Amino acid sequence: MTRFRIVEIDLIDTLPLRIESAPAHGVLPHGTLDRTSSALEATETLRFSDLGYVDEAHRPYVPVVTQAFEIDRGISLTSDALGGTSTFGSVTMINDGSLDTLITQRANDHLPVRILTGEKRLDPERGVLVDPARSDLEPVFGGLGTLWQPGRRTLTIPLLGILSWLSVGLVSRIYGGTGGLDGDSNVSGQTMPILRGSACNITPVLIDAVNYVYQVSDAPAVVSALYEGGFAGGIAFAGAVADIYGQSPAPGTYVVQSGQTGTWIRLGTRPVYGITVDAVGSFSSGASPVNVLDILRQMLLEDFRMPAGYLDATWQETSQLAPWAGGWFWSGSESVTGQDVVRTLLAGLGISIVSTRSGTLRPVRLVQPLYGQETALTLTADQITDIEPVSLDASLSPPTWRWRIGWQHNFTVQTAGSGLHPQAPAERQAIIGTADRYSVWAKTALRTQWRVPNDPAPIVTALASQDDAQNLAGDHGLLWGAYRTLWAVTVPAHLAWQVDLGSLVSIQAPVPGLEVLTDGIVVSEHARAGDATVTLQILATGVPADQSHLGDFNGDFMFNGDFM
């Protein structure tokens, strides 16, 4: 058997030329719409290989690949960036001049790239190697290729994960400054605010200083309370209106206009103190996800125009992976990219958005596995060709003795002074006086067991509930409040292709802590096309896959992840 690799690159032309004969004048009534649909883009697939390959549809894969891939992928393991992911790599091909036109005349930035591998099998009767069907090939990498780098006789294509799609900014409207809902000259050129999910004490954007009109979001939203200097009883709600400029509200009241194009409030009296609101934002399409992960999914589709095909089939519209309510508010005063949104919404949740081998995005949660949980692969000394220890980040090793997880972020901090209404209740002042409140997990015994245990900084999250933040802090404590080890495990490539980042595996090796079959999580991958092996970094979670060696207790008694 001979192993080979293929590379597929999709060239996308967003402005295809449509050639057709135009009907003569008078054939159709003036103003008649064309019933013939036309594609918004055209896709052409380039097919290459390292040893040559022809699929079952008789499509040849030209053997010009000299270095099929160099790939490094990983999940961030630091206390302040749990959940971040990165993907880097490249593919190199021979260019005999046939690719010059594509290099110079076609856009080649952030185009889909797929790398697959398979084995040619010898036909004993004919004495030739037979190509397998493309459906039988194993995916190695699925992502995007950034700007091509041509050499004298070579072409190198840097590889990125699908998340690199989110290097662009939020797709939001900009104020023109022409007046009305288009804003006055004070906000001309500024991006409209965006509210997704629930947010506490946000400052809406004043877009009309003469008529006291504020914008809450660029999409539908529900304003649950309006405050003037922290006091909710001074300005009364006068109802929802279809046209906020249709009639001025009565003094001491406010009205709300909300629809597909945005949400605004208008005051009937000039305020003395700053105006803030508590609100829940939806999407222009009408979608109203509640949980943080579901909000992120919808933002990828609507606010960043990510093709739905890039989302993995396992990432459902309502995910059970993280059923935690929350949300965030972006005022429009700063430039926000998709990467910023992912970091903001997933901060502290221990959730990674992983670019899978097949080229889709899938959320993965780093959490202590349960005893008996099914694993994707079992690795023993028979499969492992090399194993070496890897140092965990200093923020997670030694163990962490405390986690502080924020909840219900306050977007407008208002402290006692001239900015607060004299009738603002003490309870409200306590809420708006600090940016965040925290739920805490702590294990003081670690402070005596370790000389310098880690104490991560408080983490600001998009969570709305104290109970959710408390449960999350406990999960972090269960995973990181005990001594963990990270191992670089080298295995044959065909085994590595069976797992992905975030996969749960069982591992046993002649090293301290892995003498018995133990659960672990794949957190990184290092692969080179010329090698027959792949190095996986596996975080050993300390949970034996077989707990029979624990005796009569059988592992039933645990405290914060430590067997008693």
Side-chain angles (χ1 to χ4, degrees):
M1 295 185 294
T2 302
R3 181 159 292 276
F4 68 98
R5 300 159 187 89
I6 66 170
V7 177
E8 297 178 342
I9 305 172
D10 290 342
L11 294 181
I12 299 176
D13 186 357
T14 56
L15 295 174
L17 178 61
R18 180 179 173 186
I19 302 176
E20 60 181 10
S21 59
H25 179 73
V27 172
L28 296 174
H30 179 71
T32 299
L33 298 178
D34 187 358
R35 295 178 179 270
T36 305
S37 61
S38 58
L40 297 179
E41 61 183 27
T43 302
E44 175 188 356
T45 300
L46 304 180
R47 296 176 173 86
F48 307 103
S49 67
D50 54 357
L51 298 181
Y53 171 72
V54 178
D55 65 13
E56 62 274 22
H58 307 291
R59 292 174 297 196
Y61 289 68
V62 185
V64 296
V65 177
T66 60
Q67 186 66 38
F69 58 82
E70 296 181 2
I71 298 174
D72 290 282
R73 305 189 303 148
I75 298 174
S76 299
L77 294 182
T78 60
S79 62
D80 60 346
L82 285 177
T85 59
S86 60
T87 300
F88 301 98
S90 64
V91 56
T92 303
M93 298 179 292
I94 299 173
N95 179 22
D96 58 0
S98 59
L99 300 177
D100 289 352
T101 301
L102 295 175
I103 295 172
T104 58
Q105 298 183 14
R106 296 289 293 271
N108 50 44
D109 180 38
H110 284 70
L111 298 178
V113 176
R114 297 174 296 277
I115 300 177
L116 300 94
T117 184
E119 291 183 340
K120 296 175 180 285
R121 298 182 179 273
L122 180 65
D123 184 341
E125 295 183 359
R126 295 181 294 167
V128 297
L129 293 173
V130 179
D131 290 334
R134 188 195 177 285
S135 58
D136 293 335
L137 303 184
E138 296 177 307
V140 173
F141 171 83
L144 302 174
T146 187
L147 293 175
W148 297 357
Q149 300 173 356
R152 183 171 177 269
R153 300 288 292 177
T154 62
L155 173 63
T156 299
I157 302 177
L159 303 177
L160 301 172
I162 295 296
L163 274 177
S164 64
W165 178 284
L166 301 180
S167 58
V168 299
L170 270 168
V171 180
S172 183
R173 299 188 302 277
I174 297 176
Y175 293 113
T178 60
L181 299 183
D182 195 35
D184 56 23
S185 58
N186 294 321
V187 294
S188 178
Q190 180 177 321
T191 302
M192 292 184 181
I194 295 175
L195 173 62
R196 302 293 184 260
S198 60
C200 172
N201 207 44
I202 66 175
T203 298
V205 178
L206 178 62
I207 66 170
D208 187 343
V210 175
N211 295 293
Y212 317 126
V213 177
Y214 300 76
Q215 185 164 5
V216 176
S217 179
D218 66 341
V222 175
V223 178
S224 56
L226 182 143
Y227 305 90
E228 182 185 8
F231 179 52
I235 305 177
F237 177 55
V241 296
D243 181 6
I244 207 165
Y245 283 99
Q247 184 178 353
S248 178
T253 66
Y254 73 95
V255 295
V256 177
Q257 176 185 335
S258 182
Q260 185 178 12
T261 57
T263 300
W264 300 265
I265 58 176
R266 182 180 180 183
L267 309 183
T269 308
R270 178 180 178 180
V272 177
Y273 305 96
I275 297 297
T276 59
V277 300
D278 294 340
V280 179
S282 303
F283 290 83
S284 297
S285 65
S288 302
V290 175
N291 298 338
V292 175
L293 188 58
D294 301 334
I295 291 172
L296 174 59
R297 182 185 186 277
Q298 195 65 29
M299 289 192 72
L300 297 183
L301 295 175
E302 287 199 38
D303 294 322
F304 294 100
R305 307 291 194 267
M306 175 173 282
Y310 283 162
L311 300 184
D312 197 78
T314 60
W315 190 353
Q316 299 295 325
E317 186 173 347
T318 301
S319 174
Q320 298 303 314
L321 185 65
W324 308 317
W328 204 260
F329 173 72
W330 293 270
S331 65
S333 58
E334 297 180 357
S335 176
V336 178
T337 68
Q339 300 283 7
D340 296 330
V341 170
V342 172
R343 284 190 291 265
T344 297
L345 292 180
L346 298 186
L349 305 188
I351 294 178
S352 305
I353 303 299
V354 171
S355 182
T356 67
R357 297 192 191 283
S358 57
T360 59
L361 293 180
R362 181 181 66 202
V364 172
R365 188 180 174 206
L366 284 177
V367 67
Q368 179 86 346
L370 300 174
Y371 170 57
Q373 188 172 347
E374 184 179 356
T375 58
L377 183 66
T378 298
L379 298 174
T380 64
D382 295 334
Q383 292 89 25
I384 299 172
T385 61
D386 191 20
I387 183 169
E388 295 291 340
V390 179
S391 297
L392 272 170
D393 187 81
S395 63
L396 297 173
S397 183
T400 57
W401 77 272
R402 178 172 64 170
W403 284 89
R404 289 164 287 179
I405 304 298
W407 59 280
Q408 199 178 46
H409 177 71
N410 170 30
F411 286 85
T412 308
V413 177
Q414 297 170 287
T415 57
S418 59
L420 283 181
H421 195 288
Q423 293 181 270
E427 181 181 359
R428 184 65 184 177
Q429 291 187 45
I431 293 175
I432 63 179
T434 58
D436 296 278
R437 291 169 287 175
Y438 298 97
S439 294
V440 181
W441 172 93
K443 185 178 180 182
T444 55
L446 288 172
R447 303 187 70 177
T448 58
Q449 295 175 10
W450 299 84
R451 287 195 170 186
V452 189
N454 271 296
D455 185 15
I459 301 177
V460 177
T461 75
L463 299 178
S465 167
Q466 181 180 10
D467 291 340
D468 290 340
Q470 188 64 60
N471 292 334
L472 186 60
D475 289 342
H476 285 343
L478 190 63
L479 180 60
W480 300 110
Y483 178 65
R484 301 300 180 204
T485 55
L486 184 64
W487 301 93
V489 183
T490 304
V491 298
H494 73 276
L495 292 178
W497 306 147
Q498 298 177 25
V499 295
D500 213 329
L501 297 183
S503 294
L504 183 62
V505 299
S506 298
I507 181 172
Q508 183 178 14
V511 295
L514 299 181
E515 297 91 348
V516 298
L517 205 60
T518 303
D519 285 342
I521 303 172
V522 179
V523 296
S524 180
E525 173 186 86
H526 174 83
R528 295 292 181 268
D531 300 337
T533 59
V534 174
T535 299
L536 304 175
Q537 285 192 9
I538 299 177
L539 176 69
T541 59
V543 179
D546 180 4
Q547 298 185 345
S548 60
H549 69 283
L550 294 176
D552 295 335
F553 292 109
N554 199 31
D556 290 337
F557 295 95
M558 296 182 65
F559 179 74
N560 288 331
D562 298 331
F563 291 102
M564 303 297 291

